[in-house]
Amino acid sequence: MIEKLIEAAVRNRLLVLIVTAMITLSGVWALSSTPVDAIPDLSDVQVIVLTDHPGQAPQVVEDQVTYPLTTALLAVPKAKNVRGYSFFGVSMVYVIFDDGTDMYWARSRVLESLNAAQRRLPPGVTPQLGPDATGVGWVFQYTLSDFGPRARALRAALDTNQDGTVAADELPAAEGEDGRYTDGQLDGLIDEPARLLQAFDRDGAPGISTAELQTAANFKGLDLSELRAAQDWYLRFELMSVEGVSEVASVGGFVRQYQVVVDPERLRTFGVPLSTVKRAIQRSNRDVGGRLIEMGETEYMIRGRGYLKSVADLQQVPVGVDKETHVPILLSQIARVQIGPEIRRGIAEMNGEGEVVSGIIVMRSGANALAVIERVKARLKALTSGLPAGVEVHVSYDRSGLIERAIDTLQDKLLEEMLVVALICIVFLLHVRSALVAIVTLPVGILMAFLIMRLLGISANIMSLGGIAIAVGAMIDAAIVMIENAHKHLDRKSTRLNSS
């Protein structure tokens, strides 16, 4: 069989070259389009259902939320396992599907079952699907910190009259072009000048100007709620639109909210129950649409605008009427209205220097990790100029470095092995054309491997690239053996011809 295959290849050289060229081009396409990651994704096809039931004990969550959902999701097609977990105020249900099931087909089937199970849940409890990601989707993480501590050190170094404020005449003369400070000057003023440039250089010009340095020196700092607001309402939405990003999870800081702290004694004095206060706030925070009226051949839309926009608006919400004076009872008379942080159950800290706010980029299932990370870094760099002055952006985790090192290792080893094989063939066989056989065989074989990986949906990761690197050694051994064997046969044939 092998002898006939070799004979057919020798007789049809042009056809062999055409097939090799087609395989090489297909391999190049596969090499450029195969998803690249650092570690293989061996996780099951799963869909996570997350349900919030605030303030309820785990047993109540189990009985009212987790059990109804798990029993309804058992009937989902191709689901081989359903696991439910109940925590304080949170229910999580994992639906594990058979291998090979399409992720988005599975999500649509789960969503259909959730629509049917909704009527069995308590009022106001709505389950939602988790991100379309896997356990290895955490590919990038950035951190937002406050320049305030460095501003205090910079202010202490520049404030010569010790009045707590740095004036323009207290700043050193700028030695750079266009009145900007050089890197050497900034090194003498503050540690890590790059953070100063990142937090206050908003005009895009190289270096930092006198006005920007004065702003940095007089910067009073940002609290954690302001950092979290910048993450939730600016960076998160912009990064969610990046191709391949499934979720941007926010960690740390304080989530600001309006808080109504009710005084029980005043409630009893005015005779207003707590449920009435809750309904009054809900009714007061909405717009109401009316009909149209025509005046002077012009139509006017009628609507009542009632959205609450400040603490003062909340304080003016009527919650009842005084039975004696018939005067409205306002919310400010029975409660204290304030802006405060939401209760949190964890913090984010960086290098032991204090609390920070962090954003975690979760990659969509099946996406190219290296390409997603590059797009996220490019968008994050473009968004930095829109952040409030004094916000520092740090990269806490970046998987692209590990991916690039794995690819570079394979490239280096492939080049080394090709050179060694060529040198061995030339030295021991004294034949340059024989060395070309091994040199050409290696890259074509690797391209064929990438083509098969692309067709099977296997990503290029440490495991697959390591397997290719090991297989290259076996290919080299086979190539050398075949070349040496061919030379021996040619020598024997030549000896017989000479003897005859």
Side-chain angles (χ1 to χ4, degrees), residues 331-367:
L331 186 61
S332 59
Q333 297 177 258
I334 60 172
R336 184 177 74 254
V337 182
Q338 62 187 17
I339 294 179
E342 183 182 2
I343 296 177
R344 60 177 185 167
R345 303 176 66 187
I347 66 172
E349 192 180 59
M350 185 176 68
N351 299 329
E353 298 178 358
E355 290 190 50
V356 294
V357 175
S358 184
I360 300 173
I361 304 297
V362 181
M363 178 186 68
R364 202 177 300 277
S365 175

Side-chain angles (χ1 to χ4, degrees), residues 56-78:
Q56 300 298 328
Q59 186 61 49
V60 177
V61 174
E62 174 72 22
D63 296 338
Q64 297 185 359
V65 180
T66 305
Y67 180 77
L69 288 179
T70 52
T71 54
L73 294 174
L74 286 172
V76 174
K78 297 186 179 181

Side-chain angles (χ1 to χ4, degrees), residues 80-102:
K80 65 179 182 180
N81 200 353
V82 179
R83 304 169 185 169
Y85 301 92
S86 301
F87 306 95
F88 179 77
V90 178
S91 168
M92 299 183 69
V93 179
Y94 293 80
V95 185
I96 313 298
F97 286 84
D98 295 333
D99 293 338
T101 304
D102 181 72

